[in-house]
């Protein structure tokens, strides 16, 4: 049973594995953590919802940002990140990212990743929104994520790290003191295991990716249903900044009724010189920001949406006809193929684009070592809130965050394991570290499951009320509609003990409702416009009142408890914990917190 006493309704585990650490997720964050933990001698098990090579990382097009180019420095990368984060980045977390990032990328290359290089062998670098320098390394033109995923998957397989594929993680297992003891999971009919089981381990790393499927249209794959955030909430962990959902400005527009995963048109296309235009060919971003089409993503998404409202249209256009066929075929082959598959030829015509849900800047709150507020539970990548992204992620910082903080997590787990395994005086060999004994699986379900069709209702509610444009009225309506969905399921459980049949569809839908409720609650609470949180009724940024974080946790009665931090700094994840080396316990001086003219 978790710290809240809440779990998903599921059969008791029928099989189990033992490990030192279980990593949930097979993107850049999860596989890097697993490789580093395995290299440290820890028995590591990777659990992934689909196939090992089917995580969100492989969908990344643009690249990975790091100060690798001549004349570029971590300090310049830090400046661009802080500006994009709109006053809510943790400056020390960003400093960690940009200073440790270049070497982390080099280690990724040593692992086997191949980036595009120029005639003299140097890594080719491009530019994306919010960056003042060319610092985006890419692979296969616009297939960076696929190459990184390939290299990491090959490395994991070559080390024979145990993996459990096609497995949806259900809940965190804890001992009687609330200490992490592993996870329960359901394997979807393939491999050595089937049905509900458990992996017992004293350390669990959530690297489950995002929650884009909470909206009707998203760039995220179908597996991105917020499972990690929902699991962490049920386990008693705190989440933060969930209101900051980044809507990618340029997603291929497939029609107003299009749902599910939509093709992304990478920011790198604009970085190479493509222009955003309306139907008359007017470059509407010129004059709105010094970087025009390469402004931070929140500003570009707002610019597109405003122009759509002004003209009463459903999309704008990305014009890169001047690239010519050769550049499209060599630099952006993936995007070119996706466009042509939908009857659009970027070589001869502008590409219709509109914003769609893309990335969660918030998530499970962690400290500089990836530790959450639940002992033994770590989070890394998009599921985590490290403080790096603030109110709006800088383009291509996500893959870098996965690398850097995965290495930090692995180092912390290895150090903790070594400390626990110190032998008694005069012992010849270290004593193995057993996983804490999980408390018995409860017989009575503590959380009602939603029917699969509720998924589409949740997505419509979120798109209409908590999408790119938000207001007090739209958020209030969204909250009320989500509450009704929640109440109907809870009422059925209370009246006759019935709940939807346990299964992947019902578990995912229940997780989506959980994260949707938290997102809306945080968005209602933040009465300002900041970064990718755009309140039409509160159009100004208010540093005096809102340069701080909204932290939410789940109560035992399934209500939400939200509070606002006193400053822009996060409190420690453990009560009374000292700050990690290189961090500060008190408020830090503000860095570039003044709103830009476009945000005033």
């Amino acid at each position: 049973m978790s710290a809240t006493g809440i779990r998903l309704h599921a059969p008791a585990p029928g099989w189990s594995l033992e490990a030192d650490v279980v990593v949930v997720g097979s993107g850049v964050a999860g596989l890097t953590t697993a490789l580093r933990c395995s290299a440290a001698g820890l028995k590591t098990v990777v659990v992934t919802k689909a196939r090992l090579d089917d995580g969100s990382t492989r969908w990344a097009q643009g690249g990975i940002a790091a100060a690798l180019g001549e004349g570029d420095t971590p300090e310049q990368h830090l400046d661009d990140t802080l500006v994009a984060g709109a006053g809510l980045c943790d400056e020390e977390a960003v400093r960690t990212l940009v200073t440790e990032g270049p070497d982390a990328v080099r280690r990724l290359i040593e692992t086997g990743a191949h980036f595009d290089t120029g005639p003299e062998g140097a890594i080719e670098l491009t530019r994306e929104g919010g960056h003042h320098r060319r610092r985006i390394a890419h692979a296969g033109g616009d297939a960076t994520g696929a190459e990184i995923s390939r290299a990491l998957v090959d490395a994991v397989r070559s080390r024979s790290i145990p993996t459990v594929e096609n497995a949806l993680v259900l809940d965190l297992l804890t001992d009687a003191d609330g200490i992490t003891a592993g996870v329960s999971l359901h394997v979807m009919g393939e491999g050595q295991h089937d049905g509900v089981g458990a992996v017992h381990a004293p350390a669990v790393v959530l690297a489950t990716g995002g929650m884009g499927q909470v909206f009707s249209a998203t760039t995220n794959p179908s597996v991105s249903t917020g499972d990690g955030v929902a699991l962490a909430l049920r386990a008693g962990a705190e989440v933060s900044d969930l209101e900051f959902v980044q809507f990618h400005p340029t997603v291929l527009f497939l029609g107003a009724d299009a749902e599910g995963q939509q093709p992304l048109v990478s920011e790198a296309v604009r970085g190479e010189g493509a222009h955003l235009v309306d139907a008359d060919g007017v470059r509407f971003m010129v004059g709105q920001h010094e970087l025009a089409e390469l402004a931070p993503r929140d500003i570009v998404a707002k610019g597109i949406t405003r122009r759509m409202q002004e003209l009463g249209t459903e999309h704008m256009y990305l014009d890169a006809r001047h690239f010519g066929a050769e550049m499209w075929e060599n630099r952006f082959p993936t995007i070119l193929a996706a466009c042509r598959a939908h009857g659009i030829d970027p070589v001869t015509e502008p590409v219709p684009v509109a914003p769609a849900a893309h990335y969660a800047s918030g998530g499970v709150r962690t400290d500089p070592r990836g530790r959450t507020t639940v002992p033994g539970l770590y989070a890394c990548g998009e599921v985590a809130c490290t403080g790096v992204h603030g109110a709006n992620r800088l383009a291509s910082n996500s893959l870098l965050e996965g690398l850097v903080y995965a290495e930090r997590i692995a180092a912390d787990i290895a150090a903790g394991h070594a400390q626990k395994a110190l032998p008694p005086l005069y012992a010849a060999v270290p004593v193995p570290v057993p996983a804490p004994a999980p408390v018995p699986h409860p017989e009575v379900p503590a959380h009602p499951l939603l029917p699969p069709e509720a998924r589409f209702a949740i997505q419509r509610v979120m798109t209409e009320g908590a999408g790119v444009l938000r207001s007090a009225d739209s958020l209030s309506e969204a909250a009320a509609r989500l509450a009704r969905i929640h109440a109907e399921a809870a009422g059925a459980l209370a009246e006759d003990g019935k709940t939807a049949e346990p299964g992947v569809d019902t578990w995912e839908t229940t997780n989506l409702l959980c994260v949707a409720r938290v997102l809306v609650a945080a968005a209602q609470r933040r009465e300002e416009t900041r970064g990718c949180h755009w309140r039409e009724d509160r159009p100004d940024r208010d540093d005096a009142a809102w340069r701080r974080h909204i932290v939410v946790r789940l109560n035992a009665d399934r209500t939400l408890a939200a509070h606002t931090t006193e400053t822009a700094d996060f409190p420690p994840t453990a009560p009374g914990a000292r700050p990690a080396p290189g961090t500060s316990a008190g408020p830090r001086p503000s860095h570039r917190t003044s709103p830009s003219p476009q945000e005033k």
Side-chain angles (χ1 to χ4, degrees), residues 35 45 86 120 139 156 192 247 273 282 312 335 359 410 460 501 571 585:
L35 286 167
V45 172
E120 297 181 1
V156 165
Q192 289 182 290
F247 286 77
V282 176
I335 299 170
Y359 192 88
R460 285 192 294 270
E501 189 69 22

PDB file of all heavy atoms in Angstrom, residues 35 45 86 120 139 156 192 247 273 282 312 335 359 410 460 501 571 585:
ATOM      1  N   LEU A  35      22.066   2.076 -17.752  1.00  0.00           N
ATOM      2  CA  LEU A  35      23.446   1.785 -18.135  1.00  0.00           C
ATOM      3  C   LEU A  35      24.427   2.193 -17.039  1.00  0.00           C
ATOM      4  O   LEU A  35      25.370   1.458 -16.726  1.00  0.00           O
ATOM      5  CB  LEU A  35      23.783   2.496 -19.439  1.00  0.00           C
ATOM      6  CG  LEU A  35      23.168   1.897 -20.707  1.00  0.00           C
ATOM      7  CD1 LEU A  35      23.315   2.852 -21.882  1.00  0.00           C
ATOM      8  CD2 LEU A  35      23.817   0.551 -21.026  1.00  0.00           C
ATOM      9  N   VAL A  45      16.903  -3.600 -13.462  1.00  0.00           N
ATOM     10  CA  VAL A  45      15.835  -4.095 -14.324  1.00  0.00           C
ATOM     11  C   VAL A  45      15.156  -2.893 -14.972  1.00  0.00           C
ATOM     12  O   VAL A  45      14.819  -1.924 -14.291  1.00  0.00           O
ATOM     13  CB  VAL A  45      14.803  -4.923 -13.538  1.00  0.00           C
ATOM     14  CG1 VAL A  45      13.590  -5.263 -14.415  1.00  0.00           C
ATOM     15  CG2 VAL A  45      15.437  -6.210 -13.004  1.00  0.00           C
ATOM     16  N   ALA A  86      11.244  31.999 -18.101  1.00  0.00           N
ATOM     17  CA  ALA A  86      10.363  33.080 -17.621  1.00  0.00           C
ATOM     18  C   ALA A  86      10.381  33.267 -16.105  1.00  0.00           C
ATOM     19  O   ALA A  86       9.347  33.461 -15.478  1.00  0.00           O
ATOM     20  CB  ALA A  86       8.925  32.828 -18.099  1.00  0.00           C
ATOM     21  N   GLU A 120      35.026  18.236 -42.155  1.00  0.00           N
ATOM     22  CA  GLU A 120      36.245  18.058 -41.371  1.00  0.00           C
ATOM     23  C   GLU A 120      36.024  17.189 -40.134  1.00  0.00           C
ATOM     24  O   GLU A 120      36.905  17.054 -39.286  1.00  0.00           O
ATOM     25  CB  GLU A 120      36.792  19.426 -40.963  1.00  0.00           C
ATOM     26  CG  GLU A 120      37.208  20.278 -42.164  1.00  0.00           C
ATOM     27  CD  GLU A 120      37.765  21.628 -41.742  1.00  0.00           C
ATOM     28  OE1 GLU A 120      37.844  21.881 -40.516  1.00  0.00           O
ATOM     29  OE2 GLU A 120      38.139  22.409 -42.627  1.00  0.00           O
ATOM     30  N   ALA A 139      21.122  14.273 -35.639  1.00  0.00           N
ATOM     31  CA  ALA A 139      21.539  13.029 -36.284  1.00  0.00           C
ATOM     32  C   ALA A 139      20.522  12.651 -37.353  1.00  0.00           C
ATOM     33  O   ALA A 139      19.323  12.858 -37.174  1.00  0.00           O
ATOM     34  CB  ALA A 139      21.639  11.905 -35.252  1.00  0.00           C
ATOM     35  N   VAL A 156      22.232  -1.273 -23.944  1.00  0.00           N
ATOM     36  CA  VAL A 156      21.523  -2.024 -22.898  1.00  0.00           C
ATOM     37  C   VAL A 156      21.492  -3.511 -23.238  1.00  0.00           C
ATOM     38  O   VAL A 156      21.723  -4.378 -22.384  1.00  0.00           O
ATOM     39  CB  VAL A 156      20.089  -1.469 -22.718  1.00  0.00           C
ATOM     40  CG1 VAL A 156      19.223  -2.433 -21.930  1.00  0.00           C
ATOM     41  CG2 VAL A 156      20.136  -0.117 -22.022  1.00  0.00           C
ATOM     42  N   GLN A 192       8.542 -13.417 -20.953  1.00  0.00           N
ATOM     43  CA  GLN A 192       8.599 -14.440 -19.917  1.00  0.00           C
ATOM     44  C   GLN A 192       7.465 -14.305 -18.911  1.00  0.00           C
ATOM     45  O   GLN A 192       7.061 -15.279 -18.287  1.00  0.00           O
ATOM     46  CB  GLN A 192       9.936 -14.343 -19.169  1.00  0.00           C
ATOM     47  CG  GLN A 192      11.140 -14.784 -19.982  1.00  0.00           C
ATOM     48  CD  GLN A 192      12.400 -14.695 -19.147  1.00  0.00           C
ATOM     49  OE1 GLN A 192      12.870 -13.603 -18.813  1.00  0.00           O
ATOM     50  NE2 GLN A 192      12.946 -15.827 -18.783  1.00  0.00           N
ATOM     51  N   PHE A 247       3.039  23.867 -25.689  1.00  0.00           N
ATOM     52  CA  PHE A 247       2.392  23.534 -26.945  1.00  0.00           C
ATOM     53  C   PHE A 247       3.373  23.875 -28.065  1.00  0.00           C
ATOM     54  O   PHE A 247       3.754  25.030 -28.220  1.00  0.00           O
ATOM     55  CB  PHE A 247       1.082  24.308 -27.095  1.00  0.00           C
ATOM     56  CG  PHE A 247      -0.018  23.771 -26.214  1.00  0.00           C
ATOM     57  CD1 PHE A 247      -0.043  24.054 -24.853  1.00  0.00           C
ATOM     58  CD2 PHE A 247      -1.014  22.964 -26.744  1.00  0.00           C
ATOM     59  CE1 PHE A 247      -1.031  23.542 -24.037  1.00  0.00           C
ATOM     60  CE2 PHE A 247      -2.016  22.450 -25.936  1.00  0.00           C
ATOM     61  CZ  PHE A 247      -2.027  22.740 -24.584  1.00  0.00           C
ATOM     62  N   GLY A 273      15.917  28.600 -41.396  1.00  0.00           N
ATOM     63  CA  GLY A 273      15.473  29.730 -42.199  1.00  0.00           C
ATOM     64  C   GLY A 273      14.058  29.707 -42.721  1.00  0.00           C
ATOM     65  O   GLY A 273      13.682  30.572 -43.523  1.00  0.00           O
ATOM     66  N   VAL A 282       2.141  36.868 -45.194  1.00  0.00           N
ATOM     67  CA  VAL A 282       2.682  37.863 -44.264  1.00  0.00           C
ATOM     68  C   VAL A 282       3.424  37.166 -43.122  1.00  0.00           C
ATOM     69  O   VAL A 282       2.873  36.288 -42.457  1.00  0.00           O
ATOM     70  CB  VAL A 282       1.553  38.742 -43.689  1.00  0.00           C
ATOM     71  CG1 VAL A 282       2.121  39.720 -42.649  1.00  0.00           C
ATOM     72  CG2 VAL A 282       0.855  39.499 -44.801  1.00  0.00           C
ATOM     73  N   GLY A 312      -9.612  34.385 -38.100  1.00  0.00           N
ATOM     74  CA  GLY A 312     -10.675  33.395 -38.063  1.00  0.00           C
ATOM     75  C   GLY A 312     -10.329  32.110 -38.788  1.00  0.00           C
ATOM     76  O   GLY A 312     -11.192  31.465 -39.397  1.00  0.00           O
ATOM     77  N   ILE A 335      10.580  14.661 -41.852  1.00  0.00           N
ATOM     78  CA  ILE A 335       9.477  15.625 -41.955  1.00  0.00           C
ATOM     79  C   ILE A 335       8.937  15.653 -43.372  1.00  0.00           C
ATOM     80  O   ILE A 335       7.714  15.704 -43.586  1.00  0.00           O
ATOM     81  CB  ILE A 335       9.948  17.022 -41.510  1.00  0.00           C
ATOM     82  CG1 ILE A 335      10.407  16.985 -40.046  1.00  0.00           C
ATOM     83  CG2 ILE A 335       8.837  18.050 -41.686  1.00  0.00           C
ATOM     84  CD1 ILE A 335      11.113  18.238 -39.579  1.00  0.00           C
ATOM     85  N   TYR A 359       5.042  19.088 -24.539  1.00  0.00           N
ATOM     86  CA  TYR A 359       5.988  18.753 -23.461  1.00  0.00           C
ATOM     87  C   TYR A 359       5.514  19.302 -22.133  1.00  0.00           C
ATOM     88  O   TYR A 359       5.041  20.443 -22.053  1.00  0.00           O
ATOM     89  CB  TYR A 359       7.374  19.330 -23.783  1.00  0.00           C
ATOM     90  CG  TYR A 359       8.482  18.819 -22.892  1.00  0.00           C
ATOM     91  CD1 TYR A 359       9.177  17.667 -23.218  1.00  0.00           C
ATOM     92  CD2 TYR A 359       8.811  19.466 -21.714  1.00  0.00           C
ATOM     93  CE1 TYR A 359      10.186  17.171 -22.409  1.00  0.00           C
ATOM     94  CE2 TYR A 359       9.818  18.991 -20.890  1.00  0.00           C
ATOM     95  CZ  TYR A 359      10.504  17.840 -21.237  1.00  0.00           C
ATOM     96  OH  TYR A 359      11.497  17.362 -20.427  1.00  0.00           O
ATOM     97  N   ALA A 410      21.978   7.838 -11.062  1.00  0.00           N
ATOM     98  CA  ALA A 410      22.740   6.600 -10.953  1.00  0.00           C
ATOM     99  C   ALA A 410      23.862   6.728  -9.926  1.00  0.00           C
ATOM    100  O   ALA A 410      24.103   5.805  -9.140  1.00  0.00           O
ATOM    101  CB  ALA A 410      23.316   6.217 -12.318  1.00  0.00           C
ATOM    102  N   ARG A 460     -11.260  15.958 -24.494  1.00  0.00           N
ATOM    103  CA  ARG A 460     -12.056  17.089 -24.988  1.00  0.00           C
ATOM    104  C   ARG A 460     -12.150  18.186 -23.936  1.00  0.00           C
ATOM    105  O   ARG A 460     -12.020  19.381 -24.248  1.00  0.00           O
ATOM    106  CB  ARG A 460     -13.457  16.609 -25.390  1.00  0.00           C
ATOM    107  CG  ARG A 460     -13.484  15.839 -26.705  1.00  0.00           C
ATOM    108  CD  ARG A 460     -14.911  15.648 -27.193  1.00  0.00           C
ATOM    109  NE  ARG A 460     -15.674  14.784 -26.298  1.00  0.00           N
ATOM    110  CZ  ARG A 460     -15.750  13.465 -26.425  1.00  0.00           C
ATOM    111  NH1 ARG A 460     -15.102  12.855 -27.396  1.00  0.00           N
ATOM    112  NH2 ARG A 460     -16.479  12.757 -25.584  1.00  0.00           N
ATOM    113  N   GLU A 501     -13.651  -2.724 -15.384  1.00  0.00           N
ATOM    114  CA  GLU A 501     -12.810  -3.914 -15.382  1.00  0.00           C
ATOM    115  C   GLU A 501     -11.332  -3.528 -15.476  1.00  0.00           C
ATOM    116  O   GLU A 501     -10.944  -2.733 -16.329  1.00  0.00           O
ATOM    117  CB  GLU A 501     -13.179  -4.794 -16.578  1.00  0.00           C
ATOM    118  CG  GLU A 501     -12.532  -6.165 -16.560  1.00  0.00           C
ATOM    119  CD  GLU A 501     -13.067  -7.070 -15.468  1.00  0.00           C
ATOM    120  OE1 GLU A 501     -14.194  -6.841 -14.988  1.00  0.00           O
ATOM    121  OE2 GLU A 501     -12.335  -8.021 -15.096  1.00  0.00           O
ATOM    122  N   PRO A 571      11.630  23.931  -1.786  1.00  0.00           N
ATOM    123  CA  PRO A 571      12.128  23.434  -0.502  1.00  0.00           C
ATOM    124  C   PRO A 571      12.804  22.084  -0.712  1.00  0.00           C
ATOM    125  O   PRO A 571      12.615  21.444  -1.758  1.00  0.00           O
ATOM    126  CB  PRO A 571      10.845  23.284   0.330  1.00  0.00           C
ATOM    127  CG  PRO A 571       9.763  23.099  -0.674  1.00  0.00           C
ATOM    128  CD  PRO A 571      10.157  23.891  -1.879  1.00  0.00           C
ATOM    129  N   ALA A 585      20.327  26.979   0.189  1.00  0.00           N
ATOM    130  CA  ALA A 585      19.092  26.741   0.929  1.00  0.00           C
ATOM    131  C   ALA A 585      18.179  27.937   0.862  1.00  0.00           C
ATOM    132  O   ALA A 585      16.970  27.818   0.971  1.00  0.00           O
ATOM    133  CB  ALA A 585      19.416  26.407   2.394  1.00  0.00           C
TER     134      ALA A 585
END
